[in-house]
Structure formats: structure tokens, C-alpha cells
Amino acid sequence: MNENIRIEEVDSVEKPPRARVENAVETPGETLARKKDYLEGFLAQKPVAPSPGEPDGDLYEAVIAALKEIYDPEIPVNIYDLGLIYNVEINDGHALVSMTLTTPHCPVAESMPGEVELRVGAVPGIGDAEVNLVWEPAWSPANMTDEARLELGML
């Protein structure tokens, strides 16, 4: 046993005073002025618009919309919602799309990357498109969006 431990017994403890509105130091006018200053500062900030090639930018969203028009021939869901698109980068009108397929032996392994290049390259503002077909990480059903799962009856 530790002999350095001291135990102090007390008979009672006073309750701390409760906070009351009448104890507030700030007047309603001061409160309103403080809120107004905060609101003016908040409204004065201008939102930072994303560049067109960044996520949420117009060009980026147009590329994603084009990808959502490409469907896997065996599964009635677009390749974006299937989770086959891993990354989209846009730099100065050049689009680089990293994607995979459901399996390396997929029947569209030869034609799908070409179709993606054509569709993305046709987006106004994209000069050329390149598709990087990758196998790592391997595709799995966990990559699908909730919309795709719902479409396939997996939810």
C-alpha cells in the first residue's frame, strides 16, 4: 500500500452559484453590436471559387458528367458510379484519368480506355485526354456509390 496517499473527509460541499441572465454584464445593445460585427465580417468574406480543373470546378464537373454517360456493357450502371474511376486530373486542358476495370479479363479491357479517352476529350475545354489503366488497388463492390448499389439491388 502507498503510504503517501492522504484521504480528507468533508461533511458537506457548497453548491456553486447558478448562472443567471440578470448577472450578464453585456447589454442587449452591446450583444447586437457584437453580433452585427461578426455578421459583417462573415459576409465580407468572398468564397474562393475553385479553378475550372479542380474538383467542383466547371471543367472538372463536365468531365465527370461525361464519365457518367459511359456504361459497363455487362452491368447497367455507369463507370463512375461503379467506382472504376480512381482519379481525374486536369491541367491546362489536358485530362488524365486513372481507372480500372472490374477484372483484368473484362471483355471491354481493350475498348473501354479508348472510349473514355474519346468521351473525355470531347468535353469543351479539354484539349486531349489520357487514360491510365491500373490494376492496383483492385476493384471491389465497395467502390460503388450508393446510387449504383441501389440500382443493382444491393442496398
Side-chain angles (χ1 to χ4, degrees):
M1 235 165 129
N2 192 347
E3 296 174 11
N4 295 331
I5 297 177
R6 293 181 45 186
I7 299 175
E8 183 179 344
E9 291 185 23
V10 294
D11 293 331
S12 67
V13 176
E14 279 187 43
K15 285 186 174 182
R18 300 187 95 190
R20 303 256 183 234
V21 174
E22 59 266 7
N23 294 343
V25 181
E26 200 173 59
T27 67
E30 292 170 333
T31 302
L32 181 60
R34 182 174 45 83
K35 287 182 180 178
K36 187 176 180 184
D37 286 345
Y38 172 76
L39 186 59
E40 285 175 359
F42 179 75
L43 293 175
Q45 293 178 356
K46 300 292 181 208
V48 178
S51 73
E54 292 179 5
D56 292 333
D58 294 337
L59 187 55
Y60 182 87
E61 293 302 321
V63 168
I64 298 302
L67 291 170
K68 287 184 175 185
E69 292 178 359
I70 304 170
Y71 283 78
D72 184 294
E74 297 175 328
I75 306 169
V77 176
N78 69 69
I79 63 172
Y80 187 82
D81 287 337
L82 268 178
L84 298 179
I85 305 299
Y86 286 164
N87 191 30
V88 175
E89 293 178 25
I90 302 171
N91 294 313
D92 298 325
H94 175 76
L96 175 63
V97 178
S98 296
M99 67 173 292
T100 192
L101 297 172
T102 52
T103 67
H105 305 293
C106 182
V108 294
E110 291 183 22
S111 63
M112 183 67 72
E115 183 177 355
V116 170
E117 278 185 11
L118 287 173
R119 294 279 186 104
V120 171
V123 171
I126 298 294
D128 65 309
E130 179 183 347
V131 172
N132 185 18
L133 190 59
V134 297
W135 302 109
E136 292 293 327
W139 178 84
S140 79
N143 296 7
M144 294 190 296
T145 63
D146 288 341
E147 290 83 9
R149 287 190 186 104
L150 184 63
E151 182 73 28
L152 296 173
M154 297 173 70
L155 277 183

